Amino acid sequence: MACTPPFDIVFFGGTGDLALRKLIPALYQAHRAGLLHADGRIFALGRGAQGREDYLRTLETRVKPRLGADFESTTWADFRDRIDFLQLDANRQADYAKLVESLGLDAQRITVCYLATAPQLFITICENLARIGMNHPNIRLVLEKPLGHDLQSSNAINAAVGECFDENQIYRIDHYLGKESVQNLLAIRFGNTLFEPLWRREWIDHIQITIAEELGVEERGDFYDHTGALRDMLQSHLLQLLCMVAMEPPSSLAEEAVRNEKLKVLKSLKPFSVEDVLGKTVRGQYRSGAIRGAPVPGYREEPHVAPDSITETFVALQAEVMNWRWAGVPFFLRTGKRMQERVAEIVIHFRPVPHALFHTPFNLQPANKLVIRLQPSESIRLYFLAKAPGDAMNLQSAYLNLDFHTLFKARHADAYERLLLDVIHGRLALFMRRDEQAQAWVWVEPILACWQQHGIAPKPYISGSWGPAASSGLLSRAGVVWHEEN
Ligand code: BG6
């Protein structure tokens, strides 16, 4: 990847968890790889009264363990020269003048304003930026998810932000789109002749998309208890993955072409009726249990979570994309915290052969699966049946494995690094357009409304399990099971 042009990047929420855990480490990695222009500055903004040195000390303490062997003292010393800390209260107009003073308002300079704050502050920050002229065409605005709490609040944010910035200045981030395997999914689908003819209802039985986390809500109990898994993960990450799997070939890789195709998928999602919500969605909440042998508390015992909370930490559902390519093919999506394993994957299950020549045990069906793994490691596996050595015609499941780390020795950029570089370079293709995001809300809202109106409380599941039993039930009604790597 080419080195960036000169830039400034301003992190609102610069002392927050995301900046310390993901964003600044991602920039460090880009710096270490020589991908940042020497004239690239980083401004972390925070409300607290602390000096630059204090900030850098905290930053280093947080970043070092995350970077492990990649933390090199001399590289870090170089990198920290780029960083400044500014005290700014997003609600105080006067503080923005200090920001301009530190940055120097240069309309030719690429300046990224990254809003890693609570969404309630987005409108205020944008209005204040516009007031001081920090909305000129070279300003790029990054909006972290969740963008609002529902369609109405997300529309309100988008409308107000749209008053201050052009749509092509707005980068709505979904870090899952920056993951290498997601882009590889496009490469294998549209760069090869092998898969595309099979990528349709005639040959695909069903599709599963799983994002399972071992982590609980950590320090984010307050945020999470008002959000839940459907808003936090499904409305964004899982639907974006579904779009990547289901979309038609775009006319080019230009941002509008890709985004138009994704929007068509979102518009083709079958709306949920009340019966669908009751029969095809599963809500869960973790109880205490063990993760990798260590005991962990239940969700309701987590800090800042209501002791009688009915927020879901798990959701599974069956979706359908109503178009010529996908009509009748179930898409099973699930995500949860405190699950047995950290894994994110898309599994394409192909149909069984039309006539069974061989006796294949039930656990070997369906024979053909394509497993696109995003986490913990990135790979694409194609499963098929092969004859096991010996006299008898005994079939065995085998796979071709494309392990990106082994195959391509090159360094793999983490999703945030990739996306931050895209913003500096001005590439919008991997960011969500306003209409895409609104459409995702349109689709999930009836689920939220039905859960609330019918008092659907989440089903408990033990931490370290695969979620409530009802999640397996959802699939077994369709005669299938969740994919588990063997
Ligand atoms: C974030 C969610 O968007 O994604 C978190 O808000 C979640 O709740 C995280 O833990 C998962 O991201 P990753 O890349 O670690 O799978």
Side-chain angles (χ1 to χ4, degrees), residues 22 145 175-176 179 213 220 232-233 237 337 342 375:
K22 299 267 191 183
K145 61 166 271 293
H175 75 278
Y176 265 72
K179 294 193 190 261
E213 299 182 83
R220 300 156 75 221
D232 185 41
M233 299 292 286
H237 306 322
K337 294 204 180 281
R342 174 174 182 250
Q375 267 161 199

Side-chain angles (χ1 to χ4, degrees), residues 189-426:
R189 275 194 68 189
F190 304 131
N192 300 288
T193 48
L194 196 59
F195 295 108
E196 197 46 29
L198 304 180
W199 210 263
R200 56 191 66 250
R201 63 192 300 280
E202 287 80 359
W203 301 107
I204 291 180
D205 182 75
H206 73 282
I207 292 175
Q208 301 179 4
I209 306 180
T210 293
I211 305 180
E213 299 182 83
E214 288 177 8
L215 291 179
V217 291
E218 310 300 293
E219 314 297 313
R220 300 156 75 221
D222 190 24
F223 156 79
Y224 197 88
D225 211 29
H226 294 99
T227 307
L230 190 80
R231 289 186 173 93
D232 185 41
M233 299 292 286
L234 200 131
Q235 188 270 349
S236 48
H237 306 322
L238 280 116
L239 282 189
Q240 284 296 316
L241 295 182
L242 186 152
C243 286
M244 289 302 209
V245 174
M247 74 187 205
E248 294 298 316
S251 55
S252 75
L253 287 181
E255 58 218 30
E256 288 313 303
V258 174
R259 291 158 144 203
N260 288 344
E261 293 308 333
K262 281 163 57 197
L263 179 64
K264 282 191 214 159
V265 174
L266 291 166
K267 287 194 165 170
S268 308
L269 282 170
K270 186 175 174 206
F272 270 91
S273 64
V274 169
E275 292 68 40
D276 287 339
V277 177
L278 299 178
K280 294 183 179 172
T281 69
V282 177
R283 258 189 123 187
Q285 189 187 71
Y286 64 80
R287 296 287 182 263
S288 58
I291 297 286
R292 293 178 184 265
V296 292
Y299 177 68
R300 290 174 173 178
E301 286 102 60
E302 299 278 16
H304 311 295
V305 169
D308 55 353
S309 169
I310 55 156
T311 300
E312 79 284 352
T313 59
F314 174 96
V315 60
L317 57 79
Q318 178 177 345
E320 191 187 332
V321 180
M322 293 200 303
N323 61 19
W324 276 52
R325 188 186 282 264
W326 295 116
V329 177
F331 284 72
F332 295 104
L333 314 185
R334 74 173 159 169
T335 182
K337 294 204 180 281
R338 289 281 190 235
M339 306 274 282
Q340 194 173 104
E341 233 176 79
R342 174 174 182 250
V343 61
E345 64 186 14
I346 300 166
V347 186
I348 316 290
H349 288 260
F350 293 91
R351 288 191 185 280
V353 291
H355 170 66
L357 265 188
F358 307 100
H359 169 72
T360 39
F362 180 74
N363 66 350
L364 294 184
Q365 295 171 352
N368 298 133
K369 294 183 251 190
L370 184 69
V371 180
I372 301 141
R373 206 163 237 231
L374 286 63
Q375 267 161 199
S377 56
E378 299 182 314
S379 65
I380 295 184
R381 287 183 178 183
L382 179 61
Y383 282 76
F384 54 94
L385 290 183
K387 179 186 164 297
D391 266 1
M393 218 25 184
N394 284 336
L395 301 194
Q396 195 172 298
S397 181
Y399 57 75
L400 295 172
N401 190 17
L402 194 64
D403 179 324
F404 297 117
H405 283 275
T406 321
L407 189 66
F408 302 108
K409 303 282 183 239
R411 186 182 75 89
H412 280 232
D414 137 280
Y416 273 105
E417 179 185 336
R418 158 76 202 234
L419 294 174
L420 281 165
L421 291 173
D422 274 3
V423 182
I424 301 172
H425 283 288

Side-chain angles (χ1 to χ4, degrees), residues 205-206 330 332 362 365-366 472-482:
D205 182 75
H206 73 282
F332 295 104
F362 180 74
Q365 295 171 352
S472 307
L474 179 70
L475 270 72
S476 61
R477 285 200 289 283
V480 296
V481 292
W482 288 110

